[in-house]
Amino acid sequence: SPLIISSFPTHSLLTNEPQVGLSISPLSNNFLFRKISTNPFPKFFKRGLNVTLSTDDPLLFHLSDDPLLEEYSVARASFDLSMTDLSEMARNSVLQSGFEDDLKKRWLGDDYEKGLTYCDERLTHVPLIRAKFREEHLALEQMLISLISAGKGRDVMREMMVQFSEARDAHRDILKRNAMEVPHML
């Protein structure tokens, strides 16, 4: 269950490794388990997990004739989602679905099976830069997990911290040299 996964960060990593699909029903969860304000959906989505919205017992938890549209509308308002976010979730839903390959090709593009960056952005309305960002960060997380499991995680993290610190200092120096007024904190 996505609600259980949210309680254990290591479980969240495991679902990210193979991009296991998570289907979440915030309205149902709101009535049964967890209020929308504490629902893990936005955190999962921002981390790049393969999440989508779904309905659960529409006769009990939904007030409209279109429960899935209701889930999307409530999620957009509750979690401050953009139209690109909604399009990405819809694309994830098609990828997770059991629809036949010809339907997936019609909705995602002929090369969708090659990966997110091969989905046709004219069909999915998910910009290529978003798909590339998701794939790049997933690859980086997978590399880090591999390094940690090989016992190199601590050394790599130390080296990364040094590099981030040096980059931050270099960025600050560039700003100082080019700024007319430098805030006192710098």
Side-chain angles (χ1 to χ4, degrees), residues 62-110:
H62 296 90
L63 303 174
S64 72
D65 291 336
D66 195 337
L68 189 56
L69 181 59
E70 190 176 343
E71 288 283 356
Y72 272 76
S73 298
V74 168
R76 181 171 190 211
S78 300
F79 307 136
D80 195 29
L81 300 172
S82 69
M83 291 306 291
T84 299
D85 296 336
L86 297 178
S87 296
E88 184 178 2
M89 288 183 289
R91 184 210 54 209
N92 289 349
S93 181
V94 173
L95 287 168
Q96 288 180 26
S97 76
F99 285 117
E100 295 82 15
D101 189 56
D102 61 320
L103 289 175
K104 288 185 177 186
K105 284 182 179 180
R106 186 177 346 151
W107 296 327
L108 302 174
D110 290 334

Side-chain angles (χ1 to χ4, degrees), residues 26-42:
L27 287 175
S28 168
N29 295 342
N30 184 58
F31 287 105
L32 297 175
F33 308 111
R34 179 180 279 203
K35 294 299 176 195
I36 285 182
S37 62
T38 63
N39 193 289
F41 178 84

Side-chain angles (χ1 to χ4, degrees), residues 2-14 43-44 47:
L3 295 179
I4 293 170
I5 290 170
S6 69
S7 302
F8 302 98
T10 52
H11 288 72
S12 181
L13 277 176
L14 291 174
K43 181 172 80 173
F44 289 165
R47 281 201 58 233

Side-chain angles (χ1 to χ4, degrees), residues 141-161:
E141 276 194 24
Q142 289 172 333
M143 279 192 277
L144 185 57
I145 290 168
S146 295
L147 290 166
I148 290 169
S149 65
K152 297 181 177 187
R154 188 175 303 243
D155 294 336
V156 169
M157 290 302 289
R158 272 196 207 108
E159 188 176 345
M160 288 174 70
M161 287 173 20

Side-chain angles (χ1 to χ4, degrees), residues 12-25:
S12 181
L13 277 176
L14 291 174
T15 59
N16 204 16
E17 177 68 23
Q19 279 290 276
V20 171
L22 298 174
S23 187
I24 302 177
S25 306

